[in-house]
Amino acid sequence: MQEKDLIKYIKGESNSGEKKLVLEWIRKDKINQKRYSDLKAKYVVSGLDSAQTPNLQRAYRSFSTKKNRKTKVFYKSVAAIAAAMILPLMIWQSYIYFGNDKLIVDSEFTGNSNVSITTKHGDQKTIRLDDGSIISLNANSRLIYPKKFTDSIRKVILIGEAFFDIKRDVKKPFIVHTKHLKVKVLGTSFNVKSYPKDEKIETTLVTGRVEVLQEKIKTPIILKPSQRAVFDKKKSKFKVDNVDSKNILAWQEGKLVFDKTPLKQVILDLNRMYNIEFVIESDTLLQYEYTGEFDNLKLEEVLELIKISSPINYKYVNNKVMLNSE
């Protein structure tokens, strides 16, 4: 991707086709995300040059020449901003202005001992922790983590869904806390889906080894790559099955993949992506399991595909999508 195309997108001058190409390029890998994040920060700084003092310009030159310097993106309260140094403030402005994009959020410049990152409907964020671990946060989710890992364990709290790529440290296990269970690793990559409204919690291992622990179940569940542990909240029971991890992680590319998924779960996932309420009008559909794939489609395209590929019809009523049997 050429720099002029990225600058055009950052300025908001790209057409819909160009925007799509840039977003696809950004999502392709973390190197592209890093390049885009750096370029965007520099663009914001250049736009502020005319209003800045020589000290500010000198600070930016120092920032640009340091080797292996990571772009810092953060959010602080008004009081914290007043006390912060000028350069971090510039990068903070970059994050606020471009906050809806999928950026790497570095925890080093946050002011509190615990950091909370939240995503909205249809939003995603990538977070770099103090230990070098990378976490991709899905839509309508929240991650709470310490600014620096100082204890004998590395503990984070997840509400929603995230993919974890954890740096190995045998002396400091990494533990993901959800409301109903914990996932313990030394260093590995895995996906956790734990939304409050969902009836089940899913942990899918991609590489390495994980232990899934639940306080009412004495023996931990140990997963192998491409295995998923599904915890039923009502029944307090685990089920382990083999899955295609690419389908589980498809949300990172803007895709939704369903394989005999209960319709109630399907509409929860659609709500998180498109921020619209669904209502199932037909009792028979409560037991229906849907199979299909939506690859970066508009809501109308998704609904039409569901209509074509299943016995489900839909209509809009008061900004809600009403689903019923044909």
Side-chain angles (χ1 to χ4, degrees):
M1 180 68 64
Q2 295 186 10
E3 185 171 305
K4 64 178 183 178
D5 298 320
L6 297 177
I7 291 294
K8 188 176 180 181
Y9 174 80
I10 291 170
K11 290 181 176 180
E13 298 174 353
S14 302
N15 58 39
S16 58
E18 292 169 334
K19 287 180 180 178
K20 183 178 180 181
L21 289 175
V22 172
L23 288 173
E24 288 176 350
W25 178 84
I26 292 173
R27 292 169 177 164
K28 191 174 182 180
D29 59 49
K30 293 182 177 63
I31 295 177
N32 294 350
Q33 294 174 17
K34 175 67 168 57
R35 181 186 168 197
Y36 174 72
S37 181
D38 288 347
L39 185 62
K40 183 165 59 177
K42 291 178 182 179
Y43 171 75
V44 172
V45 171
S46 67
L48 296 174
D49 277 346
S50 60
Q52 308 306 325
T53 65
N55 288 338
L56 185 80
Q57 295 171 354
R58 191 158 52 247
Y60 177 64
R61 285 196 297 270
S62 175
F63 163 79
S64 300
T65 55
K66 285 187 177 181
K67 293 182 179 180
N68 300 322
R69 182 71 174 268
K70 304 295 183 181
T71 301
K72 304 293 190 292
V73 187
F74 67 102
Y75 181 89
K76 288 189 175 183
S77 65
V78 174
I81 294 170
M85 296 183 66
I86 294 174
L87 180 60
L89 175 58
M90 293 189 300
I91 308 303
W92 174 81
Q93 289 171 327
S94 172
Y95 174 65
I96 293 300
Y97 186 76
F98 301 103
N100 289 330
D101 291 335
K102 183 180 179 183
L103 298 180
I104 292 180
V105 182
D106 200 319
S107 65
E108 186 174 339
F109 272 28
T110 51
N112 299 322
S113 58
N114 287 323
V115 183
S116 177
I117 301 294
T118 303
T119 52
K120 299 178 181 179
H121 290 81
D123 189 18
Q124 295 179 20
K125 287 177 181 159
T126 302
I127 304 155
R128 179 182 286 112
L129 301 184
D130 172 61
D131 66 344
S133 297
I134 300 293
I135 301 176
S136 299
L137 196 61
N138 201 359
N140 201 23
S141 300
R142 184 183 182 192
L143 183 75
I144 302 171
Y145 58 95
K147 178 180 177 180
K148 290 187 178 296
F149 293 112
T150 57
D151 297 331
S152 58
I153 60 172
R154 296 172 287 170
K155 182 178 75 172
V156 302
I157 299 172
L158 173 67
I159 303 169
E161 183 171 17
F163 173 72
F164 296 82
D165 188 1
I166 304 304
K167 289 288 186 180
R168 183 174 178 82
D169 188 342
V170 295
K171 296 181 179 179
K172 287 187 177 182
F174 191 98
I175 300 179
V176 180
H177 287 253
T178 71
K179 184 176 181 180
H180 296 273
L181 53 80
K182 296 186 293 184
V183 181
K184 180 180 178 181
V185 303
L186 296 178
T188 184
S189 59
F190 58 99
N191 194 83
V192 178
K193 186 176 184 181
S194 179
Y195 286 100
K197 292 184 178 180
D198 289 7
E199 296 179 352
K200 300 176 181 179
I201 301 175
E202 298 181 6
T203 303
T204 305
L205 180 60
V206 180
T207 62
R209 179 179 181 271
V210 301
E211 293 182 9
V212 185
L213 305 100
Q214 213 284 328
E215 60 181 12
K216 295 181 180 180
I217 301 175
K218 295 182 178 180
T219 305
I221 303 296
I222 299 176
L223 296 180
K224 298 178 181 178
S226 296
Q227 282 190 330
R228 174 179 62 181
V230 181
F231 179 72
D232 191 308
K233 297 177 185 177
K234 292 182 179 179
K235 298 178 181 178
S236 293
K237 290 184 178 181
F238 274 108
K239 175 185 177 182
V240 177
D241 57 2
N242 295 313
V243 294
D244 185 343
S245 57
K246 291 182 179 179
N247 291 340
I248 303 297
L249 302 179
W251 61 265
Q252 293 183 290
E253 300 175 355
K255 300 178 183 179
L256 289 174
V257 180
F258 301 107
D259 183 12
K260 296 181 180 180
T261 305
L263 186 60
K264 289 191 293 183
Q265 183 61 54
V266 172
I267 64 175
L268 284 171
D269 289 341
L270 292 177
N271 168 263
R272 291 167 193 138
M273 177 169 283
Y274 298 102
N275 193 20
I276 190 167
E277 184 176 348
F278 289 80
V279 178
I280 300 177
E281 294 187 300
S282 172
D283 291 340
T284 59
L285 292 181
L286 293 174
Q287 306 302 321
Y288 184 77
E289 296 180 338
Y290 183 78
T291 297
E293 178 178 335
F294 306 132
D295 187 352
N296 289 277
L297 301 180
K298 297 179 181 179
L299 176 61
E300 290 73 16
E301 295 173 325
V302 169
L303 294 174
E304 284 300 314
L305 186 55
I306 290 177
K307 181 179 178 180
I308 293 172
S309 60
S310 72
I312 302 173
N313 205 347
Y314 73 93
K315 61 182 177 181
Y316 285 95
V317 178
N318 297 326
N319 294 321
K320 298 179 181 179
V321 178
M322 317 299 288
L323 303 178
N324 53 69
S325 299
E326 290 186 336

